[in-house]
Amino acid sequence: MALSIVSVPSLHANNSPTTSFTLSPLVVTATTTEQNQADSLVSVTVIDRDAVNKQQPQELSELLASQPGIDIVTNGGYGKSTSIYTRGSSSTGTKLLIDGVPIQSHSTGSSSWQYLPMFQVERIEIVRGPKSSLYGSSAAGGVVQVFFPEASQETQANVSLGGGSFNTQQASASVSGLSGDASYLLSVGTFETDGTVVKEHAGDMGYSNDNIFTRLGYEFDSGAYAKVFIMRAEGQSDYTTSTGSLRSNDFVNQAIALTSGVDLTEDWQSEIQLRESRDDSDVLNDKGVKTNSYFYSRSRGVRWSNTLSQSNHKLVFGAEHIQDDFEGSYTKERTSKGVFAQSLSQFGQASAQLNIRADRYDEYDTQTTGGVALGYQIDDVYSVRASWRTSFTAPTFNSMNAENWGYTLTNEIRPETSESFEVGLRGDYQNSYWDVAVFQADYHDLITWNYPTVGNIESARVRGLELSTGLQIEYWSFALAATIMDTENLSAGAEKGNRLARRANKSARIDVDRHFANSTLGFTVASYGERYDDAKNSALLAGYGVLNLRASYDFATDWSAELSIKNALDKEYQTAKDFLNPGRGVFLTLNYSAF
């Protein structure tokens, strides 16, 4: 039905002055260079600022829910442990970038998705399928990059106050502008909630997050530039142990980058980035006193990237050096060095993308990854693409030290590897588009924890179909995403033929918004099919659907109000066994913009 709706030319011109609906926005994550989403040779989803503002998210998982190829598992409500699975990869196989800075815990190998402050988020890009050939380890399933805004061209200040269910309170303020050749943006925010019941009879689990974001930039007369980016979030998130004791994570999540670029020639742009990220946690007892459980995870890196442009061809090449450090119940550090190259070529209606990268780690042999993607513009409307890509994920520090917690290693832990094939077809019209992709991903040496053992399983296979569409008719905007996915453990043993744990067999998402002169009304339905919570396929979690309602109103000059009802039907559901997600929540936010 969705295909039949969007496979016709535009029915009405877009006359709405209140929407910036974009059918083919610019993306950079897929290639590190700007290109239209419609021209990408790999599957990409873009959540632009208009969509972010309309959905009024309090956590990143709200925006990612039921997007093509994305599975989300949370241990309860606000600020609780969250895992992202892209195209059936493990929870360590989706790389999170914050304005180009990777951020993750080297103990678990996954990112603290739940702690990312949503105020000031400008745009989100989701690249599906392996991208190790550009970004190194932890991109077997894909990459999610979150962008914060650049400084505004004119002085601008914003203040936001909100609150609602679960005794939730939030406040934020920002100022941005230019001063000669210098630009600046400073934002501060706070979010606090009593939370909801995460486990039965355990009481509400609170969460707080205080955050700051700043960006400074300077443009030289020569065209060179330098910019500094800092994002820091810190706070506490309550949880209960398996024995019922109350604990709290005292966390710090931070990303810092200093980036400088220059045009070496008319056709050669060069950029170097120095960066550091932190993912720290101290466990507090029910009295707020630190226990002996903690981890401090830090990554420092330098990335040198170059882009050579000539007619219809681009060459991207560079090198990267990364130092990872971890301190907790054990201490460990790791160094890696990588070199990469990418070519982008246009030959009339045909296009090609070639990638290769080599990463050398201290502990094991060089990991070489690559990819080939081909595309063809059939006519002004239809285009087709096909790709083959490989990837790898370095073992987590925890898996390499699992014996510290009484586990037995079934083998010397090896890096996870994958290869993926994809074919896609897309149609672009004046006010609508559709995109269909079929893929197969073969994963090798996936690291699994199954007490009392931890080790690599031989292989797993994931096959899937993804659909996304967008349509605008006058003041209405519609978006639909759907995924059908089949996962299978191919390793020898009792679990051969089982579905991979925590991956849903299907998902769908519908976004509908109606734009008026100074207000909007909209809703989102996000749903997932059933999934197993364990590798043995003995714990089946039922499928579910969640309805979110929203409205916004510009009630005076420089003033606006936003109302959202999350989980409006008060649906009870679990994405991890025995962990309850929040029920219905009503939230109101007031915004003021100055200058």
Side-chain angles (χ1 to χ4, degrees), residues 89-258:
S89 67
S90 66
S91 61
T92 62
T94 302
K95 198 175 194 77
L96 173 62
L97 302 176
I98 309 297
D99 270 74
V101 180
I103 186 167
Q104 68 182 121
S105 166
H106 301 299
S107 58
T108 64
S110 58
S111 303
S112 297
W113 305 86
Q114 66 274 16
Y115 298 146
L116 184 68
M118 296 308 299
F119 177 69
Q120 284 283 354
V121 167
E122 176 81 8
R123 188 175 81 258
I124 299 170
E125 296 180 4
I126 307 169
V127 178
R128 304 189 296 281
K131 291 305 291 183
S132 285
S133 55
L134 266 182
Y135 298 107
S137 174
S138 303
V143 176
V144 175
Q145 181 158 204
V146 178
F147 295 89
F148 287 85
E150 301 290 338
S152 59
Q153 296 297 308
E154 298 179 356
T155 301
Q156 187 176 43
N158 298 280
V159 178
S160 178
L161 297 173
S165 300
F166 322 124
N167 194 25
T168 299
Q169 305 168 54
Q170 60 184 38
S172 57
S174 67
V175 60
S176 174
L178 297 177
S179 178
D181 294 324
S183 60
Y184 61 91
L185 190 156
L186 174 64
S187 168
V188 294
T190 183
F191 178 93
E192 185 173 357
T193 179
D194 288 347
T196 61
V197 175
V198 174
K199 286 189 174 182
E200 291 187 4
H201 313 300
D204 295 339
M205 297 290 111
Y207 168 61
S208 64
N209 187 316
D210 299 320
N211 51 81
I212 184 171
F213 159 67
T214 186
R215 190 191 298 279
L216 304 173
Y218 191 85
E219 297 278 351
F220 297 91
D221 294 338
S222 62
Y225 60 87
K227 52 187 179 181
V228 176
F229 163 81
I230 300 173
M231 187 281 295
R232 180 183 172 93
E234 59 181 57
Q236 293 185 6
S237 181
D238 298 337
Y239 68 97
T240 56
T241 66
S242 58
T243 60
S245 300
L246 178 64
R247 293 290 184 267
S248 182
N249 276 332
D250 189 359
F251 69 87
V252 172
N253 224 225
Q254 179 175 287
I256 301 175
L258 170 61

Side-chain angles (χ1 to χ4, degrees), residues 1-15 23 428-433 470-476 478:
M1 180 180 68
L3 282 174
S4 67
I5 291 175
V6 299
S7 61
V8 295
S10 171
L11 300 178
H12 300 278
N14 174 25
N15 299 315
L23 294 170
D428 287 279
Y429 308 88
Q430 183 178 350
N431 287 336
S432 64
Y433 82 94
L471 170 67
Q472 182 157 342
I473 303 176
E474 290 190 335
Y475 299 100
W476 290 88
F478 305 85

